[in-house]
Amino acid sequence: MQETNSLLATARAKLEASLLAKGLRRSGERFAILEEVYSRNDHFDAEELFLAMHQKSYPVSRATVYNTLEVLVDCGLVRKHRFGEEDNVKSRYEKSLGRQQHAHLVCTVCHKVKEFCDPRLHLIQTNVGNALQFSVESHSLVFYGQCTDESCATKPTDDTGKLDSNA
Ligand SMILES: [Zn+2]
Ligand SMILES: [Zn+2]
């Protein structure tokens, strides 16, 4: 767990510097939230993070969860994704320190998120940048569909590929 610990130490230092720069309080709550985020390997939403903090007997307010997430996104410790379509976008978060760039698969039925890395994506990015004289800094790629996990509820047919609103 050495690697995880040093990653967390780096993340804590970065958050500390960022809070200081923004003139925000360096409260224990914010660092507890950071710790929870860095203990996870999933793509969570703000509500899930809020509930996880309560389950760990570290109750923080929703407002604290939301604004701490914004700070973490701002200082590059957390990546924010907006999966879905215009009228039904879900914000999901994941830690970013120590992570490679990767693409996502989002299940439109159970909302599970999977990741994959493929070096060919980087090759496309480089080639397109060269061909169009464009300095590409990053990309995001999301595949939508249905996973084959047993726990994935099967839905009747008229699923148009949009994210379900009642999950
Ligand atoms: Zn699924
Ligand atoms: Zn991811």
Side-chain angles (χ1 to χ4, degrees), residues 85-163:
E85 296 180 351
E86 285 166 35
D87 55 340
N88 200 352
V89 170
K90 283 187 178 289
S91 292
R92 298 285 191 107
Y93 302 86
E94 65 177 324
K95 64 186 172 194
S96 62
L97 224 59
R99 304 284 339 266
Q100 269 192 313
Q101 176 151 33
H102 56 267
H104 295 100
L105 299 150
V106 176
C107 177
T108 54
V109 178
C110 70
H111 310 303
K112 227 170 262 147
V113 179
K114 297 178 189 236
E115 302 182 331
F116 70 93
C117 292
D118 189 322
R120 285 173 295 183
L121 292 178
H122 186 74
L123 203 63
I124 293 171
Q125 178 174 307
T126 309
N127 289 347
V128 170
N130 289 342
L132 300 183
Q133 301 285 294
F134 194 95
S135 158
V136 183
E137 283 156 12
S138 67
H139 69 259
S140 75
L141 175 65
V142 186
F143 291 155
Y144 294 98
Q146 187 177 358
C147 72
T148 54
D149 295 3
E150 258 176 55
S151 59
C152 185
T154 341
K155 283 272 204 73
T157 43
D158 69 335
D159 202 313
T160 53
K162 290 189 175 181
L163 289 185

Side-chain angles (χ1 to χ4, degrees), residues 18 22 69-78:
S18 180
K22 287 173 195 282
L69 274 174
E70 288 310 310
V71 173
L72 294 175
V73 170
D74 268 5
C75 66
L77 288 170
V78 164

